[in-house]
Amino acid sequence: MQEDIRFEVGEKYENMKGTFEVIAIHRDQMEIRWENGEEISTSIALQQRIIERMQHEKEMEKEQQAQKKKAKTASAKARKPFSGFEADDFTLSVSKTNWRARGQLGGIVARKLSSQSFKFNSWAVLRKPETQWLDIDRQKQHDLAGQAKFHARVDDDNLFFGFHLPRLHPSPETSDWSRVMEWLKKPENESWLLKQCSTHALCLRDLSEQGFAGILDVQEDQWVYHQGDDEPAVVDSLGGFLSSAAEAGQIDLRIEKGMDKKAAIAKKQAVAADLAALFGTLLPLYAAAAKGPA
């Protein structure tokens, strides 16, 4: 914010014509002399407006140069191949971050994620520090918001990646959520998922906290639900637990692995292989969502 220009006798200022000295002030008028010796009587308010406009133009030019420099730096960074996460990537804002782009982590993981049934590509989530991978044909369908995806997201301290299964309200019987709930009714399928969660240290959480607010993980070969300071509770049936939670309405279910910021940065580019490997392991779950129970 600009301060008001106050003229004083004997001080020098600059307007469009050059540097001048104030030699006398009479109420709202003043006499000024330029360096070439020329003298005039002029309005104080007029000279204030001229100098303020000049200052504003200089500030605008300075800001434009800073924005151009920032854009140039961001563009150069975006063109660089993904070499791993940086400390600045761990933020809830997407400003000045590039890791979500297809030319960065998104594209690398998509190329590593091979499947005979699906062709994956990546999409950055609007205004969220998250990117998602899904089959390119399914991405074109009208029910995109309710589709299952693979995902990677960050907060200030961690990287999370795994399987994303949204449950919209209302949820039709043909939704990905409904197909996975039907798939979980087979004991062998739930046992398979329990084993994957145990082997890969995955947990289940509802980011919306509308269905459930705690965390499910696997301990001693059984599902366990942790909520606040309450004692952990054994869950006999994951399908039953999720179906009951869905009665509340919308659910943003994540079956994911967590990696702290320091470890994720230390992985460098190899973190992409970790994501692709886990997504590949969970492909049967994605197939169940996309095609229905096997």
Side-chain angles (χ1 to χ4, degrees):
M1 182 178 179
Q2 295 177 341
E3 296 182 359
D4 292 338
I5 305 298
R6 295 190 177 184
F7 297 106
E8 295 183 13
V9 174
E11 295 296 327
K12 292 185 177 182
Y13 306 87
E14 183 179 2
N15 62 12
M16 299 292 289
K17 193 171 181 178
T19 302
F20 64 85
E21 180 182 352
V22 177
I23 57 178
I25 295 178
H26 309 286
R27 295 186 179 179
D28 59 352
Q29 294 288 117
M30 65 180 179
E31 296 177 16
I32 64 175
R33 178 192 300 128
W34 280 278
E35 293 178 330
N36 63 4
E38 181 183 351
E39 296 183 10
I40 66 167
S41 177
T42 181
S43 164
I44 291 176
L46 173 62
Q47 295 302 321
Q48 285 177 330
R49 289 197 298 272
I50 291 172
I51 294 175
E52 287 172 355
R53 186 180 71 248
M54 290 174 61
Q55 289 180 342
H56 177 70
E57 289 174 351
K58 288 180 180 179
E59 290 173 2
M60 289 294 293
E61 183 179 358
K62 185 178 179 180
E63 178 65 22
Q64 289 174 356
Q65 290 175 348
Q67 291 294 334
K68 288 179 180 179
K69 183 178 179 180
K70 186 185 297 184
K72 185 177 180 181
T73 300
S75 178
K77 183 178 178 182
R79 288 195 299 269
K80 289 172 59 179
F82 179 74
S83 57
F85 281 100
E86 300 178 6
D88 291 345
D89 291 328
F90 289 84
T91 171
L92 296 179
S93 169
V94 298
S95 176
K96 301 180 184 178
T97 63
N98 298 289
W99 66 269
R100 305 179 310 144
R102 287 180 183 168
Q104 299 286 315
L105 180 64
I108 294 176
V109 173
R111 290 190 293 272
K112 290 179 178 292
L113 185 55
S114 60
S115 168
Q116 294 182 349
S117 301
F118 305 104
K119 183 174 177 58
F120 290 95
N121 208 340
S122 67
W123 284 266
V125 179
L126 183 64
R127 290 191 290 274
K128 290 184 179 180
E130 178 174 344
T131 192
Q132 298 177 337
W133 292 263
L134 62 156
D135 177 67
I136 58 175
D137 289 332
R138 300 200 78 221
Q139 194 275 339
K140 301 173 184 177
Q141 297 174 4
H142 72 280
D143 61 345
L144 178 62
Q147 284 185 22
K149 300 108 177 168
F150 294 114
H151 76 278
R153 63 185 183 90
V154 299
D155 60 18
D156 292 331
D157 303 305
N158 301 280
L159 163 68
F160 300 96
F161 55 99
F163 181 75
H164 175 206
L165 181 64
R167 194 272 184 185
L168 305 182
H169 182 72
S171 181
E173 294 182 1
T174 56
S175 69
D176 287 15
W177 173 272
S178 297
R179 284 192 283 261
V180 171
M181 292 304 103
E182 190 66 26
W183 179 83
L184 281 172
K185 289 180 180 179
K186 291 187 176 182
E188 61 268 27
N189 291 336
E190 183 167 333
S191 295
W192 175 87
L193 183 55
L194 184 146
K195 181 179 179 180
Q196 305 313 314
C197 290
S198 176
T199 301
H200 301 284
L202 309 181
C203 68
L204 288 77
R205 53 169 54 92
D206 172 15
L207 292 190
S208 74
E209 296 190 343
Q210 294 185 36
F212 63 97
I215 294 175
L216 280 89
D217 60 14
V218 177
Q219 297 180 6
E220 298 180 354
D221 295 327
Q222 55 188 357
W223 300 108
V224 178
Y225 179 50
H226 310 262
Q227 185 176 18
D229 296 328
D230 296 343
E231 285 293 320
V234 174
V235 174
D236 294 328
S237 166
L238 176 62
F241 177 91
L242 293 176
S243 294
S244 296
E247 294 176 1
Q250 184 169 314
I251 293 180
D252 186 8
L253 181 66
R254 308 299 178 110
I255 304 176
E256 60 187 9
K257 182 179 182 67
M259 184 182 298
D260 68 63
K261 173 181 176 179
K262 185 177 180 179
I265 293 173
K267 281 277 187 177
K268 297 184 178 179
Q269 192 183 44
V271 73
D274 288 0
L275 269 65
L278 180 61
F279 298 167
T281 297
L282 297 178
L283 269 173
L285 189 55
Y286 186 84
K291 299 182 178 182

